[in-house]
Amino acid sequence: MGFFSKIKEVLSKTRNGISKKLAELFSSNKLGDEFYESLEDVLISSDVSVDTAVEIVEEIRERAKKERLKDKDYVTSLLKEELFDTLNYADAKEIRYPAVIMVVGVNGVGKTTSIGKLAAKFAKEGKSVTVAAGDTFRAAASDQLSVWADRANVRIIKHAEGADASAVVYDAIASCKARNTNVLIIDTAGRLHVKSNLMEELKKMDRTVKREYPDANYYKLIVLDATTGQNAKSQTEVFNDEIGLDGIILTKLDGTAKGGFIVSLSYETEIPVLYVGTGEKIDDIEDFDAKDYIDNLF
């Protein structure tokens, strides 16, 4: 099953909600102020932020007015175009090798699972992969990561629970440089901004990567649970302020009817979605495709 089929499946709740609301809107309203206000409401109900929804609808209103076209298909095509342009506002990153990928996020978003899937994806593409168990804070975190590393058939570097996470990163980098490894993926402890000690540890890990492996292509990705909707924005902003972020990995998209939040999240933070989880299996992670995503919102 390719990305198009998988994304259609995981977006079914969001699509059903938007399609139903748009059908009701087109059947009961002519194009005018009331219509456009209602269109804003449809987007907001799918968790597009208010500011972004207003901006998108205003663009549609101006274009429809200028081109004097009012049929449903035309307005829908304008909506798709505006959503696509908004989602594509943040330039997607292309992973180059050797790559170091630090994965961050709060507890419970599926971070370790995403790392295992990402490791398997790179390995399947013929890349040599090592994962570093940088979450030395949570009990049995390295054991959980070891299970995923075994499934993905990749190497893992880990220390004892409670060890210095930056020391794990240091050893992993040394190992990867010695073996000319293509991809190093670093797990980190789940944390919130209120955990200042853990955030300082994360910044120390970040400095270690930059100091010890300046020649690597370094990416910092945040894992977000799609069911949290607009709350994901505050998480993203906190981590971006602390260490800078290059991309987003989305999980649990099939569990929400408000998948529209991705549009405003990427636009307002200027951080692109790079990967999306599409199921529970180890190969259920895909490169994010903005066109397929927008096509499957309707």
Side-chain angles (χ1 to χ4, degrees), residues 189-216:
R191 65 202 77 208
L192 290 169
H193 59 288
V194 293
K195 296 285 188 180
S196 58
N197 61 320
L198 288 176
M199 199 56 83
E200 288 303 315
E201 177 191 79
L202 185 62
K203 290 192 278 189
K204 182 180 176 184
M205 296 167 72
D206 180 47
R207 292 193 298 270
T208 300
V209 174
K210 292 174 179 175
R211 183 185 67 242
E212 298 300 326
Y213 208 173
D215 295 333

Side-chain angles (χ1 to χ4, degrees), residues 36-37 39-61 78-90 230 233 237 259-271 293-294 297:
Y36 290 113
E37 288 174 8
L39 182 57
E40 286 176 11
D41 291 340
V42 170
L43 294 178
I44 293 167
S45 71
S46 298
D47 231 15
V48 176
S49 74
V50 173
D51 289 344
T52 300
V54 169
E55 193 170 330
I56 288 171
V57 171
E58 189 57 33
E59 286 290 332
I60 294 170
R61 187 204 302 259
L78 284 187
L79 178 57
K80 284 187 175 184
E81 286 179 30
E82 290 300 330
L83 287 170
F84 177 80
D85 289 344
T86 304
L87 186 55
N88 260 4
Y89 183 75
Q230 285 297 322
K233 183 184 176 185
E237 289 174 336
F261 88 95
I262 301 165
V263 175
S264 50
L265 173 71
S266 188
Y267 176 64
E268 293 174 10
T269 64
E270 298 186 33
I271 300 169
Y293 177 82
I294 296 301
L297 279 180

